[in-house]
């Protein structure tokens, strides 16, 4: 059998870059919807609502994608554990790309009436279904090829994908918002990023066509017949703890990238261009620092990094909200950056951490379900809850800060109850080197 330790750096680099490109494309699809929900979907698809209610309704359709993600992780996790990690990458990319292009083609409410938000809801569900399978396949294919001593580093490449996807989605939206009039952007400009998803999906399929199956999967002699049943029977505690632990990361990311965009443009009068620029700059720094945080995870362990990230998040949420409320670009950027650095301390290592927590025969299902349930807890609810809390507060929405801090403390407790998983042979090699 092929030993994962024999995979050399050039081969790992090609694999990691292909995984990064795929996750970037799929998360582009997912994020472009979040940006549109914050900026235009409310008035176009829920015109009979008040401005705040329309935003809440748009964020409600945004949240449906998160609800669908655990279902996608079950569906594609079953495929990944039964038939291999590679088929998951192709099927999930096709589903997400097609549904994203279709969103850009849905007529507004004033053209087809109530059918417009219904179609939007259905397509958002399909987006989430595809993305729920993407993460598990991309991460496992990379992590199961990687050498143990650098597993967090190599498996962090797919974790850079969301940052790249976000910058692509928001960069295109920013360029369109800056070059088109308000009427043009509202009428058709917002649809262009959705149509571009088709081209990106074809590019991703080409990149993934040459990827080899995970050697660790090929070594499994007895594949699970019903992976989800085994996960629920033998690993339910792991699923709940990992979901609770990851909730704060999702809450932070979507508070920064989705809720704050709507809050600052609607309540503070900050322009779309300024807000998108501030958020994108913070996300770029976060993406660039992801491999460095992963290296720390290889050196000091996965669990300590997650605990440090949760602690930093709990301490930073009130300052972040205060800085956002100034409406000053530099201060908002610093607030977002501090929040995303606490986020990446955790999410740079979870691509190695979650697979290591589960036995290989149910790893694709277990890791993906835990990861995507965390998205429901932290990502689906945060824009909705934060919008409602901000509406009840004054200029500085301290209720949002308290909500985010509470999630950070919950995640801290969950990570404290999880074990460390850094491979024993890595620890033994370091101890031997120190002794020598």
């Amino acid at each position: 059998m092929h030993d994962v330790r024999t995979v050399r750096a050039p081969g790992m680099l090609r694999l990691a870059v292909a995984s990064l490109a795929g996750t970037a494309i799929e998360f582009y699809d997912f994020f472009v919807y979040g940006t549109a929900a914050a900026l235009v979907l409310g008035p176009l698809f829920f015109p009979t609502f008040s401005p705040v209610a329309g935003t809440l309704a748009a964020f409600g359709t945004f949240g449906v994608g998160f609800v669908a993600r655990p279902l996608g992780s079950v569906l594609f996790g079953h495929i990944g554990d039964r038939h291999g990690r590679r088929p998951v990458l192709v099927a999930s990319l096709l589903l997400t790309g097609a549904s994203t292009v279709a969103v850009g083609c849905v007529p507004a409410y004033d053209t087809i009436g109530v059918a417009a938000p219904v179609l939007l809801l259905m397509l958002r569900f399909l987006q989430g279904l595809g993305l729920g399978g993407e993460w598990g396949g991309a991460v496992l294919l990379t992590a199961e090829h990687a050498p143990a001593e650098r597993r967090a580093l190599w498996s962090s490449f797919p974790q850079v994908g969301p940052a790249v996807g976000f910058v692509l989605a928001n960069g295109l939206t920013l360029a369109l918002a800056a070059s088109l009039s308000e009427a043009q952007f509202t009428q058709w400009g917002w649809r262009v990023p959705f149509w571009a998803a088709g081209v990106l999906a074809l590019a991703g399929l080409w990149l993934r066509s040459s990827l080899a199956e995970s050697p660790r999967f090929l070594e499994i002699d007895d594949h699970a017949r019903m992976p989800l049943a085994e996960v629920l029977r033998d690993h339910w505690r792991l699923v709940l703890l990992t979901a609770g632990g990851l909730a704060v990361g999702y809450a932070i990311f979507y508070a920064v990238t989705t809720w704050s965009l709507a809050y600052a443009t609607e309540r503070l009068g900050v322009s779309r261009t300024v807000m998108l620029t501030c958020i994108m700059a913070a996300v770029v720094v976060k993406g660039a620092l992801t491999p460095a945080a992963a290296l720390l995870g290889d050196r000091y362990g996965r669990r300590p990094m997650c605990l440090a990230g949760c602690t930093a998040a709990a301490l930073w949420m009130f300052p972040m909200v205060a800085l956002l409320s100034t409406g000053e670009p530099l201060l908002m950027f610093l607030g977002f950056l501090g929040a995303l650095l606490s986020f990446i301390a955790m999410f740079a290592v979870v691509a190695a951490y979650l697979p290591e927590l589960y036995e290989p025969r149910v790893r694709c299902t277990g890791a993906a379900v835990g990861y995507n349930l965390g998205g429901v807890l932290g990502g689906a609810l945060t824009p909705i809850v934060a919008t409602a809390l901000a509406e009840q507060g004054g200029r500085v929405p301290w209720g949002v800060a308290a909500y985010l801090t509470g999630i950070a403390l919950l995640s801290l407790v969950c990570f404290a109850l999880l074990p460390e998983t850094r491979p024993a042979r890595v620890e033994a090699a370091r101890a031997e080197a120190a002794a020598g």
Side-chain angles (χ1 to χ4, degrees), residues 236-413:
W236 61 269
R237 184 175 180 271
L238 276 180
V239 170
L240 293 178
L241 288 176
T242 51
L246 297 174
V248 65
Y250 283 101
I252 288 171
F253 192 85
Y254 289 101
V256 169
T257 60
T258 302
W259 167 74
S260 67
L261 179 59
Y263 175 78
T265 54
E266 294 172 6
R267 293 286 298 276
L268 304 180
V270 182
S271 74
R272 292 174 184 170
T273 302
V274 169
M275 280 305 299
L276 287 171
T277 301
C278 290
I279 295 169
M280 283 173 57
V283 171
V284 166
V285 176
K286 182 216 76 158
L289 293 178
T290 298
L295 279 172
L296 293 175
D298 277 325
R299 179 167 183 80
Y300 298 108
R302 290 58 160 129
R303 183 170 170 267
M305 291 294 292
C306 292
L307 294 173
C310 288
T311 302
L315 295 173
W316 188 247
M317 292 303 95
F318 277 90
M320 183 197 79
V321 168
L323 292 169
L324 167 64
S325 299
T326 66
E328 294 293 329
L330 178 59
L331 295 179
M332 290 191 297
F333 163 75
L334 291 175
F336 298 153
L337 181 60
L340 292 180
L341 291 181
S342 68
F343 162 87
I344 206 57
M346 298 172 273
F347 273 58
V349 299
V350 296
Y353 195 17
L354 265 65
E356 290 169 348
L357 286 168
Y358 294 89
E359 57 182 306
R361 58 185 273 119
V362 296
R363 181 174 285 164
C364 196
T365 299
V369 169
Y371 186 86
N372 287 295
L373 277 178
V376 175
L377 295 174
L381 296 176
T382 292
I384 299 171
V385 173
T387 299
L389 289 172
E391 184 66 16
Q392 301 303 316
R395 181 177 174 83
V396 183
W398 296 121
V400 177
Y403 169 74
L404 295 172
T405 302
I407 295 179
L409 294 174
L410 169 66
S411 294
L412 181 66
V413 172

Side-chain angles (χ1 to χ4, degrees), residues 4 41 73 80 112 135 159 197 205 274-275 320 345 364 374 386-387 407 434:
V4 294
L41 294 188
S73 66
I112 60 172
W135 185 86
Q159 295 296 80
L205 290 171
V274 169
M275 280 305 299
M320 183 197 79
C364 196
T387 299
I407 295 179

